[in-house]
Amino acid sequence: MNRGFHHILDFYGCDAGQIEKEGFWNRVMHDAAGKAKMDVLCAKFHRFQPHGLTGFLLLSTSHLSVHTWPEHRHAACDLFSCAAPEHARKAVEHLISKVAHENFTHQTIERGFETENCLELPVYSTGAIQRMSVEKVLLEEESAFQKILVARIEGFGRCLLIDGVMQCAEADHHLYDKALLSPMRRSDRKILILGGGDGYVAQEALKKAPVARVTVMDIDPAVVSACRTHLGQNVFENPRVNLIIGDGLAYLESTKEAFDGIVLDLTDNPVGGGVAKFRKFHSRLLSACALKTSGWLSLQAGASSAKKPFVEVASFLEAEMKKRFLSVKRTDCFIQSFGEKNAFLHAEEHIPPVIHFNER
């Protein structure tokens, strides 16, 4: 696939003397290309009078350029590269570290052409792209909450993707399900699964606990419908399964029920709006989990690690759980359809709240 990423950097409040020097830019740009393992085919710089310069490196993987306005303490750099994304980021990081500035902006534009038979999915731990061959698109729609894709993918069978992120694959969902339900006991009778509209975790829960009743709560009916129709999912017809369409957080904060086990099988960013909202949402969610005395909590915490610009959330979630539970364990499991390890967190035994008495 002929595709590249265009990185656009604007530096403000620069050192006017630094960005005026051709030698500085020649050295820094060549070093940036070297760190990104990009071959320089030729270089050209031009000085303007009375201020400014333009510099250009023709690379084996496209180009790197700079344009400066010393009188305004501004420098603009462009890197267009069809190299591996992690290599291009090394070049960008080098420029940011070497150009003296007060602040900067960084934009990334994906360029190239689409193909109908290939998916490109992020690998958060490395910043790489995992490419998968699509044999057939079974469903593609945008619900009130998210973009839903069900496709038959080479080597993985029927797969569900939400907002461009793999959720489950026919070939290896059992690895995910078993890791998520590892604390479940045969004697458990009352299980709550938030998310899990694909039904696979509920299916596994019914196997592990023969007497359990499982409540599955998903905010998006379109996900459930897609999985019923295109993944052949019939677990929601089982009399031991109670499907509720609604807001899981609102449900937890209002319910008076307590559960033997609660599973948080949520999408990577269930409320949208970035890291701050993600953290606020999960802090409220964990505080609202109503468990029996010997109950357990399990959640998928995303990729085991994440390389910038992706955000690693597993450590945050683990720390939040340790504030609320006496026992917190983490399991990392490699899931091939995700292209990396995922973190699963399990907790037992609530920390009792501290009660303060007024002294007289």
Side-chain angles (χ1 to χ4, degrees), residues 252-272:
L252 279 177
E253 291 183 333
S254 63
T255 187
K256 295 181 180 179
E257 292 187 87
F259 297 89
D260 293 301
I262 296 178
V263 178
L264 305 181
D265 185 19
L266 302 170
T267 52
D268 297 270
N269 198 356
V271 292

Side-chain angles (χ1 to χ4, degrees), residues 55-70:
F56 187 90
L57 300 189
L58 179 63
L59 306 172
S60 58
T61 54
S62 291
H63 74 262
L64 172 60
S65 66
V66 63
H67 313 281
T68 73
W69 291 264

Side-chain angles (χ1 to χ4, degrees), residues 19 21-29 45 66 68 77 99:
I19 65 172
K21 295 176 181 177
E22 178 181 329
F24 166 77
W25 287 109
N26 194 3
R27 181 178 67 257
V28 167
M29 290 169 67
F45 290 85
V66 63
T68 73
C77 295
V99 179

Side-chain angles (χ1 to χ4, degrees), residues 145-146 162-163 195 219 247-249 265-274 277-279 281-282 285 300:
F145 301 96
Q146 53 210 346
I162 293 178
D163 289 336
I219 198 169
D247 186 317
L249 177 58
D265 185 19
L266 302 170
T267 52
D268 297 270
N269 198 356
V271 292
K277 282 192 174 182
F278 177 91
R279 293 189 172 196
F281 174 85
H282 278 84
L285 190 67
Q300 69 91 359

Side-chain angles (χ1 to χ4, degrees), residues 37 62 69 83 157 173 210 216 230 257 273 283-284 289 299 306 348:
K37 300 180 180 179
S62 291
W69 291 264
H173 69 82
V216 179
H230 300 287
E257 292 187 87
S283 294
R284 286 179 60 190
C289 288
L299 61 87
E348 297 178 2

Side-chain angles (χ1 to χ4, degrees), residues 9-303:
L9 282 162
D10 282 279
F11 296 101
Y12 304 99
C14 298
D15 179 332
Q18 183 191 63
I19 65 172
E20 179 80 318
K21 295 176 181 177
E22 178 181 329
F24 166 77
W25 287 109
N26 194 3
R27 181 178 67 257
V28 167
M29 290 169 67
H30 275 83
D31 288 347
K35 288 184 178 295
K37 300 180 180 179
M38 299 172 178
D39 295 327
V40 178
L41 304 180
C42 67
K44 178 68 176 179
F45 290 85
H46 177 78
R47 290 288 304 274
F48 296 97
Q49 296 299 329
H51 315 290
L53 63 80
T54 284
F56 187 90
L57 300 189
L58 179 63
L59 306 172
S60 58
T61 54
S62 291
H63 74 262
L64 172 60
S65 66
V66 63
H67 313 281
T68 73
W69 291 264
E71 68 275 27
H72 299 296
R73 300 171 64 201
H74 174 226
C77 295
D78 281 25
L79 170 63
F80 177 39
S81 175
C82 57
E86 61 269 27
H87 291 166
R89 275 196 291 274
K90 288 181 180 178
V92 169
E93 290 166 1
H94 184 74
L95 291 169
I96 293 171
S97 69
K98 295 300 181 182
V99 179
H101 59 276
E102 293 176 0
N103 55 71
F104 74 97
T105 61
H106 175 206
Q107 303 174 62
T108 305
I109 301 172
E110 188 173 0
R111 301 180 65 179
F113 57 85
E114 297 291 339
T115 62
E116 295 181 357
N117 62 345
C118 185
L119 283 175
E120 293 188 340
L121 307 179
V123 179
Y124 299 105
S125 56
T126 64
I129 298 295
Q130 179 178 215
R131 292 182 172 87
M132 295 179 159
S133 296
V134 177
E135 295 175 345
K136 185 178 181 180
V137 173
L138 303 174
L139 172 73
E140 189 169 12
E141 69 170 314
E142 186 161 358
S143 73
F145 301 96
Q146 53 210 346
K147 293 179 180 178
I148 302 168
L149 174 67
V150 182
R152 188 175 292 113
I153 295 176
E154 184 180 347
F156 296 102
R158 293 173 294 178
C159 302
L160 170 67
L161 296 93
I162 293 178
D163 289 336
V165 179
M166 180 68 74
Q167 303 300 311
C168 61
E170 198 172 18
D172 61 8
H173 69 82
H174 62 284
L175 300 175
Y176 179 98
D177 306 336
K178 289 179 179 178
L180 195 52
L181 290 174
S182 63
M184 189 172 181
R185 300 158 298 210
R186 185 175 176 82
S187 59
D188 286 337
R189 303 183 69 88
K190 200 171 185 181
I191 303 298
L192 173 65
I193 302 172
L194 295 191
D198 57 78
Y200 284 135
V201 177
Q203 202 172 59
E204 181 66 17
L206 294 178
K207 294 177 186 176
K208 292 198 71 170
V211 297
R213 298 191 68 83
V214 179
T215 297
V216 179
M217 188 158 197
D218 200 294
I219 198 169
D220 195 346
V223 171
V224 177
S225 176
C227 296
R228 274 175 163 155
T229 303
H230 300 287
L231 297 185
Q233 185 54 267
N234 60 7
V235 72
F236 300 116
E237 279 65 59
N238 191 300
R240 291 165 55 203
V241 175
N242 177 31
L243 173 66
I244 302 174
I245 300 298
D247 186 317
L249 177 58
Y251 175 80
L252 279 177
E253 291 183 333
S254 63
T255 187
K256 295 181 180 179
E257 292 187 87
F259 297 89
D260 293 301
I262 296 178
V263 178
L264 305 181
D265 185 19
L266 302 170
T267 52
D268 297 270
N269 198 356
V271 292
V275 177
K277 282 192 174 182
F278 177 91
R279 293 189 172 196
K280 183 179 179 180
F281 174 85
H282 278 84
S283 294
R284 286 179 60 190
L285 190 67
L286 292 171
S287 297
C289 288
L291 294 170
K292 294 181 180 179
T293 302
S294 59
W296 53 267
L297 173 69
S298 181
L299 61 87
Q300 69 91 359

